[in-house]
Amino acid sequence: LPVPGLVVIGGVAAGLSCATRARRIDPALPITVLEKGPVVSYGACGLPYFVEGQVRRLDDLIVYTPAYFATERNIDVRTSAEVVEIRHSSRQVVLASGERLPYEKLAIATGARPDLSAIEGSQLPNVFALQTLDDAARLLQFIKVSGPRRAVVIGAGYIGLEAAEALRTHGIAVELRTATGDVLGRRDSRLTAILEKHLATFGVQLRCSMPVREIVENCGELVVIATGVKPNVELAVSAGVTLGRTGAIAVTDRMETNLPSVYAAGDCSETRHLVTRRDVYIPLGTTANKTGRIAGANAAGRRESFPGVVGTSIVRVCGLGVALTGLSESQAKLEHFNPVRVTVDAKDKAGYFRGRPTSVELVADKGSGVLIGGMVIGEEGVAGRINVIATALTNRMTVEEFQELDLAYAPPYATVWDPLLIAAQQLSKLLH
Amino acid sequence: LPVPGLVVIGGVAAGLSCATRARRIDPALPITVLEKGPVVSYGACGLPYFVEGQVRRLDDLIVYTPAYFATERNIDVRTSAEVVEIRHSSRQVVLASGERLPYEKLAIATGARPDLSAIEGSQLPNVFALQTLDDAARLLQFIKVSGPRRAVVIGAGYIGLEAAEALRTHGIAVELRTATGDVLGRRDSRLTAILEKHLATFGVQLRCSMPVREIVENCGELVVIATGVKPNVELAVSAGVTLGRTGAIAVTDRMETNLPSVYAAGDCSETRHLVTRRDVYIPLGTTANKTGRIAGANAAGRRESFPGVVGTSIVRVCGLGVALTGLSESQAKLEHFNPVRVTVDAKDKAGYFRGRPTSVELVADKGSGVLIGGMVIGEEGVAGRINVIATALTNRMTVEEFQELDLAYAPPYATVWDPLLIAAQQLSKLLH
């Protein structure tokens, strides 16, 4: 048997961030990454852009190869290496080939998979998910060969929205169905109405509260299932790893599981929501990279912790940037806040620089005056503005503090009162 | 005599924000705004863009007229109404016309003026400042009539840089001179080098450490003086108002001067720097609006305070966005910090979305690990990223905290590791 060191199960975002960080901290630690799929280190977030043609070659989405990790990082990255069992009592993992690998520290970064369980017919040849490079390649090939004119996309999360836009670039009429009256999991009827109208102008029909339980062959010429993902936890559960309330792996802020020397990170694990202070399951590449890094640091002997997330995301919806952070008003009520909300429609820069409309929503808790959520919709400056709100949420800023922020102004870039500050001023009035 | 109420001296950013806020709080308060110039409520920040042609008409820079304030706000705004004396013992202001106006509360928002004192020859017909609408009109007229082919711009602050770019749009070769080895008052040789190179490719020659003490007629066909401004404090000083260490009016966080019921706001007053905790003079339109609002609220009976600024600014330099906040490394040393700095050159979004180079600099204090400054240079996303740093400075975030920020990611808008987070990770290494 080889010398025990760090074994990482999973070779995408969290797993490789973990391995890379551990290597930087400990040059001598044996590190092995076991990936069950054929490739590692690919940017799944780019798959819709491959389907729409913005990404020319799937190889462009692969950041690093196993050879790179071997020669540049001294990390043994194995593909097609599926772990079928974790024998924690003897500190070994068992591969599908029967091979056993010892570990001193183990990091579980098994990711997530599309949640197809509630939909029958998902194995039909005209039905696709969009998680792996192979999924994207098959979907694009199907479009080119079969030339579908109509498609149904099931699920209006970010992948569903991105897939709908990608299909439109091929001239396909898209019906976007969601089981709830909801898009982006936000429980925000105003957002849903905005996107319904915007999508319609681009040939995408949003149909809410239309759950799909079975796909039959005449359901549409093409179906994309984007109903969200569920964490790959079965391997961990078999080994005795505890799950949290969300069904993903429960971890400490050091990314430790309940088993000693066993860490978990990325899309298979929970994280802490800094606004609600509750554990949540929000699988995103950014968080996977961050939590992987922390797991790697701790596995290599450091003591580092991951504070959590505030639920920030951004998605391009037929050219429109839609960014969220924290809680919507409805979500805040469910979390027992007493939310107040404002929406401001403003220009994103001086009129004589052809300022474009941008919409800013802020949500605060009436009792404390603390900001608890925000949304920004627009063409430019959307990421920057949502990130300012996210930074404020992380610091538990009050609306009073937020409205005095010293934000940058010059006519080519902003308005003298930034829409963020206008929104905060209006929200402040509702708090008094 | 009229009923005493709130009298505001100055009708641009701070003065009008003050009057408007006071009106919103107290519908019955008599409010008079006295502006010595011919117009109120103009966007001085837009003047360079009028010279370059982006703003077509000077009227486009006028936001509101006195008639608007009379009919919509019930505020008496008078132009060409110069206050020549504040008689605080009898609570009166005296106008140049001899008219006396009583006040119960007084707000001094007298602004600032171009600092021409150190330069002889500033009255020559080919020499211009760029503060008022009239300055801009005269400069553009001179360019059209005289067709200068060469110009000297004195001062490399934001107005000097914007003026240089505006002159280039008229095909004028520009020499940009600064008395120190410095641009944007940042004491940052790396920034100076970057801008020197960038400006050169646009036909602007940056010549540092070339103080100009006298302009003679053959000095250049056209000269623009942009050596900064000094606060208009003479009227206040005569009335017994105390100045701070910077030479601007000293104020409390409620924008109170040393005289009871007398407030000051905007470019005539100091403000608190939240990183150094010292009083500074950083005259900017954004701060003028904010401090004016606070002065107006307190004059109308509220108790509100202005926390201060972190020194955020952004300027477009021949197409390149340059944004600053907090302290540069050199400034931090002068303020007795022990600064460490990193600079990261990265892409602002995914490569397949034609990500463009962006440069992020972060400065932290080695002892505390707290972020104390930052700079972002690039084409897009510059304002958003500097605003995130500004928000972090306001909250005294450590580098450790900053690197875990939950920033938005999607390929059309960002990279999975935002350049801000990459910079923080690298800076973190220097702190350990």
Side-chain angles (χ1 to χ4, degrees):
Chain A
L1 280 175
V3 180
L6 170 62
V7 170
V8 180
I9 308 176
V12 193
L16 294 174
S17 291
C18 172
T20 301
R21 187 82 199 289
R23 168 59 67 237
R24 288 212 172 117
I25 291 168
D26 185 346
L29 181 69
I31 303 177
T32 306
V33 176
L34 303 170
E35 165 59 39
K36 70 175 177 182
V39 293
V40 295
S41 186
Y42 68 93
C45 305
L47 296 176
Y49 307 105
F50 171 74
V51 175
E52 79 171 32
Q54 183 82 27
V55 176
R56 298 295 171 85
R57 298 160 56 242
L58 279 175
D59 283 357
D60 294 342
L61 296 179
I62 296 174
V63 188
Y64 296 118
T65 61
Y68 166 86
F69 285 101
T71 59
E72 300 297 319
R73 301 271 182 226
N74 186 27
I75 295 171
D76 182 16
V77 174
R78 303 196 203 170
T79 55
S80 303
E82 185 180 4
V83 175
V84 293
E85 188 186 353
I86 299 166
R87 289 187 189 159
H88 187 62
S89 56
S90 56
R91 301 292 198 274
Q92 288 179 343
V93 295
V94 182
L95 300 184
S97 63
E99 185 186 357
R100 289 176 297 156
L101 269 179
Y103 63 78
E104 186 190 345
K105 304 287 172 83
L106 180 69
I108 301 172
T110 45
R113 62 182 180 276
D115 185 1
L116 307 176
S117 58
I119 303 178
E120 286 189 52
S122 63
Q123 299 310 313
L124 288 168
N126 64 330
V127 179
F128 299 85
L130 203 47
Q131 192 201 22
T132 64
L133 298 180
D134 188 52
D135 290 339
R138 284 177 51 243
L139 173 56
L140 188 57
Q141 182 69 10
F142 180 87
I143 292 169
K144 287 181 174 169
V145 171
S146 303
R149 287 167 306 171
R150 298 187 307 115
V152 175
V153 175
I154 306 173
Y158 53 93
I159 293 177
L161 290 163
E162 289 167 343
E165 183 168 0
L167 297 179
R168 286 301 300 139
T169 63
H170 293 282
I172 302 169
V174 178
E175 182 181 310
L176 181 60
R177 286 198 187 197
T178 161
T180 61
D182 193 21
V183 290
L184 289 168
R186 192 71 171 174
R187 299 172 178 271
D188 182 340
S189 56
R190 185 180 152 267
L191 171 62
T192 301
I194 290 170
L195 292 188
E196 184 174 9
K197 189 174 167 191
H198 178 71
L199 286 164
T201 66
F202 280 82
V204 177
Q205 188 183 11
L206 178 63
R207 301 185 70 186
C208 289
S209 304
M210 297 285 284
V212 176
R213 294 214 175 76
E214 184 178 3
I215 300 167
V216 289
E217 291 198 44
N218 63 355
C219 179
E221 297 171 37
L222 167 64
V223 178
V224 176
I225 302 182
T227 48
V229 296
K230 59 182 185 183
N232 293 322
V233 298
E234 293 76 5
L235 188 66
V237 167
S238 298
V241 170
T242 303
L243 304 184
R245 69 174 184 104
T246 71
I249 297 173
V251 288
T252 68
D253 62 349
R254 301 191 189 285
M255 308 317 294
E256 301 156 324
T257 69
N258 61 307
L259 300 183
S261 304
V262 178
Y263 302 84
D267 289 0
C268 64
S269 62
E270 292 187 334
T271 186
R272 178 64 56 91
H273 197 297
L274 293 172
V275 174
T276 64
R277 302 274 163 180
R278 297 222 293 167
D279 292 326
V280 288
Y281 181 59
I282 304 179
L284 286 174
T286 47
T287 307
N289 278 320
K290 290 195 194 91
T291 56
R293 265 187 112 237
I294 298 289
N298 290 316
R302 285 266 181 88
R303 282 181 64 81
E304 293 190 3
S305 58
F306 182 66
V309 301
V310 290
T312 312
S313 66
I314 187 168
V315 58
R316 193 189 68 185
V317 182
C318 295
L320 191 67
V322 177
L324 309 167
T325 192
L327 306 176
S328 70
E329 188 178 25
S330 304
Q331 290 173 323
K333 283 177 185 163
L334 290 175
E335 296 284 347
H336 308 297
F337 288 99
N338 183 8
V340 284
R341 165 174 104 161
V342 292
T343 303
V344 163
D345 291 304
K347 290 288 169 68
D348 61 5
K349 49 195 163 178
Y352 49 87
F353 274 100
R354 290 178 291 281
R356 300 286 299 155
T358 198
S359 168
V360 170
E361 173 179 303
L362 292 177
V363 181
D365 176 50
K366 193 160 172 71
S368 61
V370 171
L371 273 177
I372 56 176
M375 176 166 74
V376 181
I377 300 177
E379 293 170 25
E380 288 182 21
V382 175
R385 287 195 174 92
I386 205 72
N387 286 341
V388 169
I389 303 172
T391 306
L393 297 184
T394 304
N395 289 285
R396 303 183 89 72
M397 290 185 87
T398 64
V399 175
E400 298 301 311
E401 291 164 346
F402 187 85
Q403 70 178 332
E404 304 299 348
L405 278 176
D406 188 13
L407 303 182
Y409 165 62
Y413 302 106
T415 50
V416 65
W417 287 112
D418 192 277
L420 290 174
L421 303 183
I422 296 171
Q425 286 172 14
Q426 297 198 3
L427 190 52
S428 172
K429 287 179 204 161
L430 300 182
L431 290 168
H432 288 293
Chain B
L1 279 174
V3 180
L6 170 62
V7 169
V8 180
I9 308 176
V12 195
L16 294 174
S17 291
C18 173
T20 301
R21 188 83 198 290
R23 168 59 67 235
R24 288 212 170 117
I25 292 168
D26 186 346
L29 182 70
I31 304 177
T32 307
V33 177
L34 303 169
E35 166 58 41
K36 72 175 177 183
V39 292
V40 296
S41 186
Y42 67 94
C45 304
L47 296 176
Y49 307 103
F50 171 74
V51 175
E52 77 172 32
Q54 183 83 27
V55 176
R56 297 295 170 84
R57 298 161 54 242
L58 278 176
D59 283 356
D60 293 343
L61 296 180
I62 297 175
V63 187
Y64 296 117
T65 61
Y68 166 86
F69 285 100
T71 58
E72 300 297 321
R73 300 269 182 227
N74 186 26
I75 295 171
D76 182 17
V77 175
R78 304 195 201 170
T79 55
S80 304
E82 185 179 5
V83 175
V84 294
E85 189 185 352
I86 299 167
R87 290 188 189 159
H88 187 62
S89 56
S90 57
R91 302 290 198 274
Q92 289 180 343
V93 295
V94 182
L95 300 184
S97 64
E99 185 186 356
R100 289 176 298 156
L101 270 178
Y103 63 80
E104 186 189 344
K105 303 289 171 81
L106 181 69
I108 302 172
T110 44
R113 61 183 180 274
D115 185 3
L116 308 175
S117 58
I119 302 177
E120 287 191 49
S122 62
Q123 299 310 315
L124 287 168
N126 64 330
V127 179
F128 299 86
L130 202 47
Q131 192 201 22
T132 64
L133 298 180
D134 188 54
D135 289 340
R138 284 178 49 244
L139 174 55
L140 188 57
Q141 182 69 10
F142 181 87
I143 292 170
K144 287 179 174 170
V145 171
S146 302
R149 287 168 306 169
R150 300 187 307 115
V152 175
V153 175
I154 306 173
Y158 53 91
I159 292 176
L161 289 163
E162 290 168 344
E165 184 169 0
L167 297 179
R168 285 300 300 138
T169 64
H170 293 280
I172 301 169
V174 178
E175 182 180 309
L176 182 59
R177 286 197 187 200
T178 161
T180 61
D182 194 21
V183 289
L184 289 168
R186 194 70 171 175
R187 300 173 178 271
D188 182 340
S189 56
R190 184 180 151 266
L191 171 62
T192 301
I194 289 170
L195 292 187
E196 184 174 9
K197 190 175 166 189
H198 178 72
L199 287 164
T201 66
F202 281 81
V204 177
Q205 188 182 10
L206 178 64
R207 301 184 70 186
C208 289
S209 304
M210 297 284 286
V212 176
R213 294 211 176 73
E214 184 178 1
I215 299 167
V216 291
E217 291 198 46
N218 62 356
C219 177
E221 296 171 37
L222 167 62
V223 178
V224 175
I225 302 181
T227 48
V229 297
K230 59 182 186 182
N232 293 323
V233 297
E234 293 76 5
L235 188 65
V237 167
S238 298
V241 171
T242 302
L243 303 184
R245 68 174 184 103
T246 71
I249 296 173
V251 287
T252 68
D253 62 350
R254 301 191 189 284
M255 310 314 295
E256 302 156 324
T257 70
N258 61 306
L259 298 184
S261 304
V262 178
Y263 301 84
D267 289 1
C268 65
S269 62
E270 292 186 336
T271 186
R272 178 65 56 92
H273 198 297
L274 293 172
V275 174
T276 64
R277 303 275 164 178
R278 297 223 291 168
D279 293 325
V280 289
Y281 181 60
I282 304 179
L284 286 175
T286 47
T287 308
N289 278 321
K290 290 197 194 90
T291 56
R293 263 186 114 241
I294 299 289
N298 289 318
R302 286 269 180 87
R303 281 182 64 80
E304 293 190 4
S305 58
F306 182 67
V309 300
V310 291
T312 312
S313 66
I314 188 167
V315 58
R316 194 189 67 184
V317 182
C318 295
L320 191 68
V322 178
L324 310 167
T325 192
L327 306 176
S328 70
E329 187 178 26
S330 304
Q331 289 172 324
K333 284 177 184 164
L334 290 175
E335 296 284 348
H336 308 296
F337 288 99
N338 183 9
V340 284
R341 165 174 103 161
V342 291
T343 303
V344 163
D345 291 304
K347 290 288 168 69
D348 61 7
K349 50 194 163 179
Y352 49 88
F353 275 102
R354 290 177 292 278
R356 299 286 300 156
T358 197
S359 169
V360 170
E361 175 178 300
L362 292 177
V363 182
D365 176 49
K366 195 163 171 68
S368 62
V370 170
L371 273 177
I372 56 176
M375 176 166 75
V376 181
I377 300 177
E379 292 169 26
E380 288 182 22
V382 175
R385 288 195 172 91
I386 206 70
N387 287 341
V388 169
I389 304 173
T391 306
L393 297 184
T394 304
N395 289 285
R396 304 183 89 72
M397 290 185 88
T398 64
V399 176
E400 300 300 312
E401 291 165 346
F402 187 85
Q403 69 177 332
E404 304 300 347
L405 279 175
D406 188 12
L407 303 182
Y409 164 62
Y413 302 107
T415 49
V416 64
W417 286 112
D418 192 277
L420 290 174
L421 302 183
I422 297 171
Q425 286 173 13
Q426 298 198 2
L427 189 52
S428 173
K429 288 179 202 161
L430 300 182
L431 291 168
H432 289 293

